[in-house]
């Protein structure tokens, strides 16, 4: 019996997890979140999860900058077509929620994206602006962004 105890005491420790590996384990990449969102909306009846990385769940509330980065990445993965289900859901769901919750905080980033990306500018046309902060709405209108579809 003493020998068994010794073995337990002298087991080699598992290797330490580096910060990079730790973040990889705890946080999926922007691309992984974007691909998961696209796959979810490929389903006939998508299910919103309580994951902190679900774009329709807690992500927009808890991590607005990450949510915006995911939206931009999704735009690279889907057609920029207002007739596309993915495009419609992205505008009226995650982007609209993000602008309602954090429009003031993200105003400059959103304006920069609207200037630089025709796809993002088109996506903004699918947002209902009644609950979006008025300062952001006015700035977008000055850029010519309107509800166009």
């Amino acid at each position: 019996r003493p020998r068994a105890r010794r073995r337990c005491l002298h087991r080699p420790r598992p290797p330490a997890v580096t910060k990079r590996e730790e973040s990889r384990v705890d946080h999926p990449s922007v691309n992984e979140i974007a691909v998961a969102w696209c796959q979810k909306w490929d389903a006939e009846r998508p299910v919103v999860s309580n994951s902190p990385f679900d774009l329709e769940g807690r992500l927009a509330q808890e991590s607005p900058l990450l949510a915006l980065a995911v939206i931009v990445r999704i735009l690279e993965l889907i057609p920029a077509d207002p007739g596309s289900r993915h495009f419609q859901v992205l505008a009226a769901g995650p982007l609209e929620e993000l602008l309602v919750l954090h429009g003031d905080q993200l105003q400059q980033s959103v304006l920069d994206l609207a200037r630089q990306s025709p796809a993002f500018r088109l996506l903004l046309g699918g947002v209902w602006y009644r609950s979006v902060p008025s300062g952001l709405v006015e700035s977008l209108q000055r850029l010519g962004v309107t509800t166009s579809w």
Side-chain angles (χ1 to χ4, degrees), residues 75 78-91 118-119 121-126 148-149:
L75 277 174
I78 64 172
D81 174 11
S84 157
R85 176 183 184 201
H86 288 85
F87 199 77
Q88 292 169 0
V89 170
L90 188 61
R121 192 179 178 97
L122 184 60
L123 187 69
L124 286 165
S148 59
W149 48 276

Side-chain angles (χ1 to χ4, degrees), residues 53-75:
F53 304 107
D54 189 323
L55 199 51
E56 282 90 14
R58 296 169 27 201
L59 187 64
Q61 296 168 1
E62 297 174 4
S63 303
L65 293 173
L66 178 58
L68 185 59
V70 170
I71 289 168
V72 169
R73 177 64 183 131
I74 291 169
L75 277 174

